[in-house]
Amino acid sequence: MLDSLFPTGWSSFLIGGLMIGVGVGLMFMMFGRVVGLSTFFTSSWSWLSKKPYFQQDNFIESRSWRLWCAIGLVCGAFIWKILFGAEFNADTSVSPILLVIGGMLVGYGSRLSNGCTSGHGICGLSSLSLPSLGAVMIFMLMAIGTAHLVTYFLGS
């Protein structure tokens, strides 16, 4: 059964999940900060937009460390690629336009639910937040349903 769920193997997902968990835990224990990437996106707009929504104190005060956190995620992925090469490369047969549309829908959904899957799934669940549990359940149901619909209609 694991082979059908993880055709390229499951060890990289386990290692990645453990690394994310340790990173998020350390960020909270050392600095008292909750890592969520949808807030990074919004706080980044506080540099570019003077609209009052983006100029809230919590966005302005957190934008620097959130930017460094996002840079660290990108650098970590780059280092992983250098260390492990093509063995763990992600590949998809989904067209770039569908990836862009999917990314936009995920961004809209994360703003609508007041957080992204990383914020609710990792940070929210670890703090036993019931709203985060509800959000994660909705995220997962929608992701599974969307994957089945896309597979059905596009025949991938």
Side-chain angles (χ1 to χ4, degrees):
M1 179 172 158
L2 280 179
D3 290 341
S4 66
L5 294 174
F6 303 101
T8 60
W10 56 269
S11 61
S12 61
F13 297 104
L14 176 63
I15 293 167
L18 289 172
M19 290 174 70
I20 290 170
V22 167
V24 166
L26 285 174
M27 191 72 159
F28 186 73
M29 288 188 303
M30 294 174 68
F31 304 108
R33 299 196 170 153
V34 176
V35 178
L37 292 181
S38 61
T39 307
F40 155 72
F41 180 75
T42 306
S43 68
S44 295
W45 274 103
S46 70
W47 274 311
L48 304 172
S49 174
K50 298 301 176 200
K51 293 198 180 277
Y53 177 78
F54 297 111
Q55 295 303 312
Q56 296 177 49
D57 288 342
N58 60 322
F59 295 143
I60 292 172
E61 293 168 1
S62 69
R63 65 186 178 187
S64 292
W65 75 262
R66 289 185 188 282
L67 176 62
W68 283 110
C69 185
I71 290 170
L73 287 171
V74 173
C75 289
F78 183 70
I79 291 168
W80 181 273
K81 182 170 178 64
I82 289 171
L83 291 176
F84 296 104
E87 181 181 349
F88 290 108
N89 278 348
D91 190 24
T92 181
S93 60
V94 178
S95 72
I97 189 70
L98 287 177
L99 289 173
V100 169
I101 291 169
M104 292 170 66
L105 289 171
V106 167
Y108 176 74
S110 69
R111 287 289 17 127
L112 190 64
S113 65
N114 200 24
C116 59
T117 51
S118 64
H120 285 296
I122 298 166
C123 302
L125 291 180
S126 64
S127 63
L128 304 177
S129 166
L130 287 177
S132 288
L133 176 61
V136 169
M137 290 170 65
I138 291 169
F139 290 151
M140 295 307 294
L141 288 172
M142 292 304 294
I144 292 167
T146 301
H148 283 288
L149 285 173
V150 168
T151 301
Y152 178 77
F153 285 113
L154 298 181
S156 303

